[in-house]
Amino acid sequence: MTDQKPSRREAILHALVELLETDPGARITTAGLAKSVGVTEAALYRHFPSKRKMFEALIEFAEDAVFSRCQVILQEQDDVRVRLQQLVHLVLVFAERNSGLCCVLTGDALMGENEALRKRASQFFERLETQVRQALKEGEIRQGLRPRTSAARGADYVLVFIEGRIQRFVRSSFSRLPSTDFDESWSLIAEGVWAHT
């Protein structure tokens, strides 16, 4: 077995995430990032034409990691209640394991950056909300689950829980883990989404 050295591009992204984890809320400069990677700023720009592209690469990584696993859950689980529970748990555990990315996804690391970049980060949660909404509709149609409200409002309720947990994680400097007491919390969320059947 050989340990493959990460590409320079991966090393840059890894260093960016580490900076976000160790000093949340601090503005990331290309000079500081280059120093932490051990390269010149010119070397950074050979791999990424702008800091925006670096952040976009991190968002794309989060999307690929989460939504590819979401697809597996959607294919493997027939019960929508279990499906949604696993999907929400997946996102919260992903957040715990990628705390620096949480700063990007919540927009905290993007303050002072281009507005289009913040909108790009919010698309992660919009896409997640769409998946939740579709699952809620499917549960009503295929399983006869009785929602307490519309699929749109139910999805909103679930996303408020997810985003709130992730935001609290960032705000606490990563000390309050998003998945803490998940089963108990999820049972309360599920009660709010579905009437007893």
Side-chain angles (χ1 to χ4, degrees):
M1 187 171 114
T2 61
D3 290 329
Q4 206 172 25
K5 187 177 178 182
S7 71
R8 177 74 70 196
R9 180 179 168 87
E10 290 170 342
I12 292 167
L13 293 176
H14 184 71
L16 177 55
V17 168
E18 282 185 353
L19 287 173
L20 293 168
E21 289 172 359
T22 56
D23 198 3
R27 184 157 169 79
I28 305 292
T29 64
T30 53
L33 180 58
K35 183 179 178 183
S36 71
V37 177
V39 298
T40 64
E41 282 186 77
L44 287 181
Y45 288 117
R46 279 196 290 278
H47 297 281
F48 294 97
S50 65
K51 189 164 58 164
R52 175 184 174 166
K53 292 294 183 186
M54 292 178 211
F55 283 123
E56 285 177 352
L58 290 178
I59 295 166
E60 288 169 11
F61 167 77
E63 288 175 335
D64 291 346
V66 169
F67 293 111
S68 64
R69 183 65 185 128
C70 283
Q71 288 306 309
V72 172
I73 291 170
L74 294 174
Q75 291 169 0
E76 290 179 352
Q77 270 308 328
D78 290 331
D79 188 327
V80 168
R81 292 168 293 200
V82 174
R83 197 185 280 184
L84 276 180
Q85 182 178 9
Q86 288 180 354
L87 189 147
V88 171
H89 191 255
L90 163 74
V91 173
L92 297 180
V93 170
F94 176 82
E96 284 177 20
R97 293 179 181 166
N98 297 279
S99 54
L101 280 176
C102 291
C103 297
V104 175
L105 295 175
T106 61
D108 284 21
L110 305 177
M111 299 308 285
E113 299 294 334
N114 184 298
E115 177 65 25
L117 188 56
R118 286 194 302 282
K119 287 181 181 177
R120 175 69 180 88
S122 72
Q123 287 174 352
F124 174 86
F125 292 106
E126 291 167 10
R127 186 174 170 192
L128 188 59
E129 186 173 1
T130 298
Q131 293 225 329
V132 171
R133 186 172 45 252
Q134 288 172 341
L136 291 172
K137 287 179 183 176
E138 186 178 324
E140 188 175 4
I141 293 167
R142 291 189 181 175
Q143 287 180 247
L145 297 174
R146 293 180 324 161
R148 290 191 184 272
T149 186
S150 69
R153 286 193 186 122
D156 181 60
Y157 188 58
V158 172
L159 261 290
V160 165
F161 172 71
I162 293 170
E163 290 186 64
R165 285 287 180 107
I166 294 172
Q167 189 63 51
R168 183 181 70 181
F169 182 50
V170 171
R171 190 181 65 240
S172 71
S173 298
F174 314 121
S175 65
R176 296 190 69 186
L177 300 178
S179 69
T180 300
D181 299 321
F182 176 76
D183 290 333
E184 182 181 352
S185 299
W186 179 254
S187 67
L188 294 170
I189 297 296
E191 282 180 29
V193 172
W194 294 289
H196 292 288
T197 54

